[in-house]
Amino acid sequence: MNILSVAAHPDDTEILCAGTLIRYAREGHRVTIAAFTNGSMGDLVIKPEEMGAIRKKEAQAAADLIGAKLIWPAVADEQVFPDQQHRAIMVDILREADPDIIFTHSPNDYHPDHRYVSQLVFDAYSQKGLPFIPHQSLPPCRLDNAQIYYMDNVCGIRFMPSEYVDISDTFELKKQMLCCHKSQLKDMKDEANTDVLELIETQARFRGLAAGCKYAEGFNRLEAYQRGLTKRVLP
């Protein structure tokens, strides 16, 4: 299968669903990580152009750890909107990845970039396989019904998973992927007094309690017309 994670910022995928992606990669599936923005606004000193280049290198290093493909449209950080321009970019991301399973942010996440990326995935979904959608750079992909899964919110706030994935055997590699994002780990510590590695371990342990394992990631599958599912597709 083709597995796609579409997240707003570099490191969002690693925080919220990397353990699951590693399981897919180990099973031989094709994994693609799309960071919708370049993460360029996260530092108080380093200018956006330089910061964006740093974040891209870090994202590529994380993807390389599991043999995943990186899609980097370089949308300006903190400037995501559910408009025609950004929908066209999202349609092309979906066409390039041709996914069977899509992971993206929950619609009620805390950050506007997260929420709008989630909406753009929903809005672009039905257009990925249509040949005459204007303003597209890539040809249409399959019209098959890809399954969309919403990732857990950071800290699990107002998110009740309907499905869990046991990441006990992949959690250490998940941490290694996150550690590739050195600039973000530093900025979160300096600016928000947040240890992101501690955060993901606390959340994975908490979800693991509900799932009956040491570490877990939680998801909600999008329930919508023409996206029915009669079997579990999560690993």
Side-chain angles (χ1 to χ4, degrees):
M1 294 189 297
N2 296 338
I3 314 300
L4 171 65
S5 171
V6 188
H9 309 107
D11 84 327
D12 286 339
T13 284
E14 286 75 8
I15 291 171
L16 298 172
C17 74
T20 300
L21 297 187
I22 295 165
R23 288 196 53 172
Y24 278 120
R26 288 179 176 176
E27 292 173 4
H29 301 290
R30 293 174 293 276
V31 176
T32 299
I33 297 172
F36 198 71
T37 79
N38 58 9
S40 61
M41 296 293 181
D43 195 275
L44 301 180
V45 177
I46 300 174
K47 293 183 178 180
E49 183 175 353
E50 181 182 354
M51 193 71 246
I54 292 171
R55 299 303 303 278
K56 183 178 182 180
K57 289 180 181 178
E58 294 172 346
Q60 186 65 65
D64 288 345
L65 282 179
I66 62 169
K69 178 180 179 179
L70 177 67
I71 296 179
W72 188 265
V75 172
D77 190 15
E78 305 289 342
Q79 296 295 309
V80 179
F81 300 98
D83 57 21
Q84 184 182 52
Q85 176 190 2
H86 287 162
R87 185 190 293 187
I89 293 171
M90 186 63 77
V91 171
D92 274 341
I93 289 173
L94 299 185
R95 290 181 173 191
E96 184 173 350
D98 191 16
D100 297 287
I101 300 172
I102 304 167
F103 295 97
T104 194
H105 295 286
S106 172
N108 71 333
D109 211 326
Y110 79 103
H111 195 293
D113 284 356
H114 293 197
R115 295 197 305 272
Y116 292 147
V117 163
S118 179
Q119 181 176 338
L120 287 166
V121 170
F122 184 95
D123 294 346
Y125 177 96
S126 61
Q127 300 181 1
K128 63 185 175 63
L130 300 178
F132 302 115
I133 298 297
H135 312 300
Q136 299 309 139
S137 302
L138 297 177
C141 65
R142 294 173 297 160
L143 279 168
D144 295 18
N145 296 330
Q147 301 301 319
I148 295 177
Y149 281 89
Y150 292 129
M151 304 181 295
D152 209 344
N153 288 342
V154 176
C155 298
I157 297 173
R158 296 184 62 224
F159 189 93
M160 181 59 69
S162 58
E163 295 189 50
Y164 295 88
V165 175
D166 184 346
I167 63 165
S168 303
D169 293 336
T170 61
F171 185 71
E172 289 304 315
L173 185 50
K174 172 186 169 87
K175 288 199 300 183
Q176 290 177 39
M177 291 178 69
L178 184 56
C179 283
C180 291
H181 296 273
K182 296 178 182 178
S183 64
Q184 180 71 345
L185 295 181
K186 180 180 183 300
D187 287 338
M188 289 295 290
K189 187 66 175 178
D190 293 346
E191 299 167 20
N193 194 30
T194 298
D195 185 328
V196 183
L197 290 171
E198 182 180 79
L199 183 154
I200 66 166
E201 179 156 12
T202 300
Q203 188 157 351
R205 277 188 173 275
F206 177 73
R207 293 309 188 194
L209 284 173
C213 57
K214 184 175 182 181
Y215 295 119
E217 289 171 340
F219 303 94
N220 282 325
R221 184 170 65 87
L222 170 64
E223 304 287 348
Y225 177 60
Q226 293 185 330
R227 301 172 208 187
L229 187 67
T230 59
K231 63 179 180 180
R232 177 181 167 97
V233 296
L234 294 181

